[in-house]
Amino acid sequence: MINKVDEFNAYRQQMNDKILGENNKVLKRIFNLDTNAFSEGAVDKKTKELLGLVASLVLRCDDCVKYHLESSFKEGLTRDQVMETLSIGTLIGGTIVIPHLRRAHEYWDALEAKNQE
């Protein structure tokens, strides 16, 4: 059985390949900018991922939240660090982000479970 993490990543990869295969210069540049913005710089990658996570939660983008949760997990951020970050996003975003918070919590659990396999 495919889990939530694998399902999300497979779909994301499939669609990114399809979009980038269109050879649209503007979209390729946006994708490249996004990749480069989250690389090590004056602000470390872990902090950038947490910033991305808060912004994604406040903007109510579940796919973005999943992406930044997984990147945070890969960067070695702890559950406590991520949950505290999600609490800040919920405070800033207000109660309307609570459904997204629930899905974020569920996805973090899936990341931990996948890591146990």
Side-chain angles (χ1 to χ4, degrees):
M1 183 174 103
I2 194 164
N3 67 26
K4 288 177 182 289
V5 175
D6 292 337
E7 182 179 9
F8 173 72
N9 286 326
Y11 174 76
R12 184 175 177 276
Q13 186 64 57
Q14 175 190 4
M15 292 310 299
N16 284 353
D17 290 346
K18 193 173 207 173
I19 290 165
L20 293 172
E22 294 290 330
N23 205 25
N24 180 303
K25 200 183 305 185
V26 173
L27 288 176
K28 284 185 175 188
R29 288 179 176 168
I30 290 170
F31 275 60
N32 183 272
L33 179 63
D34 182 62
T35 298
N36 288 323
F38 283 91
S39 63
E40 198 73 28
V43 176
D44 64 275
K45 287 174 77 170
K46 289 180 179 183
T47 302
K48 288 180 178 184
E49 288 305 333
L50 295 177
L51 290 168
L53 180 59
V54 167
S56 297
L57 186 66
V58 171
L59 292 169
R60 300 186 305 268
C61 175
D62 286 337
D63 281 5
C64 303
V65 168
K66 288 176 183 176
Y67 175 81
H68 290 292
L69 284 172
E70 188 162 356
S71 296
S72 295
F73 189 86
K74 288 177 180 175
E75 285 297 317
L77 289 156
T78 67
R79 181 183 192 87
D80 287 344
Q81 290 171 313
V82 168
M83 293 306 153
E84 189 167 320
T85 300
L86 290 170
S87 72
I88 298 298
T90 305
L91 173 68
I92 300 303
T95 56
I96 196 166
V97 304
I98 290 174
H100 305 277
L101 172 65
R102 290 182 190 119
R103 289 188 285 276
H105 197 281
E106 179 181 39
Y107 196 74
W108 186 264
D109 288 346
L111 287 165
E112 289 181 329
K114 180 171 176 47
N115 192 53
Q116 299 298 318
E117 294 176 349

